[in-house]
Amino acid sequence: MAEATKKKKKRGMPNSFTILFICLIAVAAVTWIVSMFSPDVTPATLADITTAPFLGFSSALQVCVFVMVLGGFLAIVNKTGALDAGIAVLVRKLGDRDTLLIPVMMILFGICGSTYGMMEETVPFYILLASVTFAMGFDTMVGSLIVLLGAGLGCLGSTVNPFSVGVATAALTDMGIAVNQGLVIALGFVLFIVSELMGIIFVMRYAKKVKADRSNSIMPPEQLAAAEAEYGEKDGAMSEGEPKVTGTQKAVLALFALSFVVMIVSFVPWESFGVNIFALGGTADDPSTAWSAILTGLPLGQWYFTEVGVWFFLMAIVIGIIAKMDDNELVGTFIGGAADMVSTALVIAVARGISVLMAATGLDLWVLNTAAAALEGVSAAIFAPASYALYYVLSFLIPSSSGMATMSMPIMGPLADNLGFSVEAMIMIYVAAHGVVVLFAPTNGVIIAGLELAKTSYATFMKLCAKFFVVLTIVIGVVLTAMMLLL
């Protein structure tokens, strides 16, 4: 009788690795089904499945190492107490205007997304915004949404993003198809305004509800407890009188801010915009002689995660010295912070492994070629939403925007041109569909990694945002169809 009255143990939400391995096995199963009627797809073997996460780690090695270096950097900054004190001062100064932080930060992230495709580079900001929003009385999900939707919706509305718009445009011009760059920018700007406005309204509505009572948070008690344990000290600092920042902490905060500013500047491909200031002194054959290449051998604007990892490693050492840490304290703190990021790095690796498996079996190309053949001869009213749906599916398989453009645009661009449709609208269909999907696709390891850093989960995130993504998908589809019909 006693056994019968016991409450059943609730099943918790699946963790990130469970979700990713389910996706990996599902993709493998699809390759077996498709290979039965198409010789273009090879059925995944057991060896393909078991090695995919390891090959994914190899593919994403630069990102994974950067994430661990970032963990060491942040651990040293946190050791100084500068970040806690700085956040306390910021929250105190904002007062009742703290909700304004949401649209301001989302627009800033959005501009970065629209201009150079900021997505993987957002990982460090999940921790920073989680700290700030938790201290302001929100939950860490608000911080995650500011980063993810801010930057992601900016990518959806890309204007001059060289990794999506630039690659797609180059693919068509190389084939002799003229592309109106001004029109592409205008269409991207329309999508940027529509999507960012929708995102800001959504996040602010949720944030105000949580601000009124944190029990309204979508995060379950165990995640709120984890957030409290990680960021509660910053929250508690609000009630300890007027917050003060020491001279050393001010110097650390200045170096902390400089670290992120240089990171952002380093990722922007300035030379593609005609800005050569960072490459002065170097040549195309030997960029290492440029004045801004002194630390890494590459000038700002040509950095990737290896170079940014070097930068954060060096800044960690400088901050440790400024804070008067001895060598044992500095090294121990850095290693401890890097160790805390190992699970995040592994999430990124497993997610990348799914893409590796799809490419190895030919599933991604099969989906593209089959759908493109089915769109021959249809009207614009059908072609636009059908192409949007195609890219929607492909974006789950290929999370890389440049990889998607390189593979698909030589097929879809000429198809649209031959049917008499706008190639500029075709470019934006690819950009927008890919932009919507990477906001929530588990194959985009950055999302899951960022949510883990904010002490929440992918399942919680989807529980909150699923309806928003449905509405966003429909609205963007309607806007894209209207563009194709009008041009």
Side-chain angles (χ1 to χ4, degrees):
M1 185 67 178
E3 288 292 326
T5 57
K6 281 186 178 179
K7 291 183 179 179
K8 290 183 179 179
K9 184 180 179 181
K10 289 185 178 180
R11 290 188 63 185
M13 293 184 176
N15 63 45
S16 302
F17 289 103
T18 300
I19 292 171
L20 290 172
F21 277 112
I22 288 173
C23 291
L24 182 67
I25 294 170
V27 168
V30 170
T31 65
W32 274 86
I33 295 171
V34 174
S35 66
M36 293 178 183
F37 53 86
S38 173
D40 297 326
V41 177
T42 304
T45 65
L46 179 60
D48 290 331
I49 298 171
T50 57
T51 59
F54 294 89
L55 294 174
F57 189 88
S58 176
S59 174
L61 184 59
Q62 288 191 54
V63 181
C64 294
V65 172
F66 164 70
V67 166
M68 289 188 285
V69 169
L70 175 68
F73 168 83
L74 292 173
I76 288 176
V77 173
N78 285 329
K79 186 81 170 180
T80 68
L83 196 56
D84 293 357
I87 290 172
V89 170
L90 173 64
V91 174
R92 184 63 59 89
K93 287 187 176 181
L94 284 174
D96 295 334
R97 304 186 305 276
D98 52 6
T99 309
L100 292 176
L101 181 75
I102 295 171
V104 171
M105 292 303 299
M106 288 186 70
I107 290 172
L108 289 175
F109 280 119
I111 291 172
C112 292
S114 181
T115 54
Y116 75 93
M118 185 182 197
M119 181 56 78
E120 288 182 318
E121 302 89 336
T122 60
V123 170
F125 295 100
Y126 281 88
I127 299 175
L128 181 59
L129 268 296
S131 299
V132 173
T133 54
F134 199 82
M136 287 179 171
F138 304 116
D139 59 9
T140 56
M141 180 63 76
V142 172
S144 298
L145 294 176
I146 290 173
V147 178
L148 173 55
L149 295 186
L153 293 173
C155 292
L156 188 162
S158 289
T159 49
V160 293
N161 179 358
F163 305 109
S164 58
V165 173
V167 175
T169 301
L172 295 182
T173 53
D174 288 345
M175 299 176 73
I177 299 174
V179 178
N180 186 329
Q181 295 273 25
L183 182 56
V184 170
I185 293 173
L187 296 178
F189 185 70
V190 170
L191 291 170
F192 177 87
I193 296 297
V194 172
S195 59
E196 285 288 346
L197 182 60
M198 290 178 64
I200 288 170
I201 292 172
F202 173 75
V203 177
M204 289 191 73
R205 288 180 62 184
Y206 173 72
K208 286 180 179 179
K209 185 170 69 171
V210 176
K211 180 74 170 180
D213 186 347
R214 194 173 273 172
S215 66
N216 292 327
S217 170
I218 193 69
M219 296 169 64
E222 61 271 18
Q223 291 180 10
L224 285 173
E228 178 69 34
E230 182 72 19
Y231 304 114
E233 292 182 5
K234 302 169 182 61
D235 193 21
M238 302 302 101
S239 58
E240 296 177 359
E242 188 67 27
K244 295 181 180 179
V245 183
T246 67
T248 298
Q249 289 175 336
K250 287 179 181 179
V252 170
L253 286 174
L255 292 172
F256 178 81
L258 176 65
S259 300
F260 283 90
V261 169
V262 170
M263 182 194 78
I264 293 171
V265 171
S266 71
F267 277 120
V268 179
W270 296 105
E271 291 176 74
S272 66
F273 302 142
V275 179
N276 299 312
I277 185 171
F278 298 113
L280 293 177
T283 64
D285 294 331
D286 186 14
S288 64
T289 57
W291 69 270
S292 66
I294 187 171
L295 289 178
T296 66
L298 286 176
L300 296 177
Q302 295 183 29
W303 285 16
Y304 196 51
F305 287 101
T306 294
E307 290 74 27
V308 175
V310 171
W311 168 248
F312 273 96
F313 177 72
L314 293 175
M315 291 305 293
I317 295 173
V318 171
I319 289 173
I321 293 172
I322 293 293
K324 298 178 181 178
M325 295 183 184
D326 60 38
D327 57 337
N328 290 328
E329 184 181 16
L330 195 156
V331 172
T333 302
F334 185 90
I335 292 175
D340 290 339
M341 290 290 197
V342 170
S343 63
T344 301
L346 291 177
V347 163
I348 295 172
V350 176
R352 187 68 66 89
I354 298 172
S355 300
V356 169
L357 180 63
M358 289 184 289
T361 58
L363 180 62
D364 47 8
L365 275 174
W366 176 84
V367 173
L368 174 61
N369 291 324
T370 302
L375 291 174
E376 283 281 3
V378 301
S379 65
I382 296 175
F383 182 82
S387 298
Y388 179 55
L390 167 61
Y391 272 112
Y392 208 88
V393 173
L394 284 174
S395 297
F396 283 96
L397 309 180
I398 310 169
S400 167
S401 59
S402 56
M404 172 76 80
T406 301
M407 185 185 77
S408 69
M409 202 48 60
I411 297 173
M412 297 303 295
L415 176 59
D417 190 49
N418 291 337
L419 294 174
F421 303 143
S422 166
V423 293
E424 292 83 8
M426 185 71 251
I427 290 174
M428 296 319 301
I429 286 173
Y430 136 68
V431 170
H434 190 268
V436 172
V437 172
V438 296
L439 288 171
F440 64 88
T443 48
N444 182 4
V446 174
I447 295 175
I448 296 180
L451 293 170
E452 291 280 329
L453 293 174
K455 303 305 175 184
T456 184
S457 70
Y458 178 77
T460 304
F461 165 71
M462 287 303 297
K463 183 179 179 181
L464 172 64
C465 299
K467 290 182 180 178
F468 171 75
F469 289 135
V470 171
V471 175
L472 179 69
T473 297
I474 295 170
V475 170
I476 296 301
V478 170
V479 173
L480 291 169
T481 302
M483 288 177 177
M484 185 66 82
L485 289 170
L486 293 173
L487 296 175

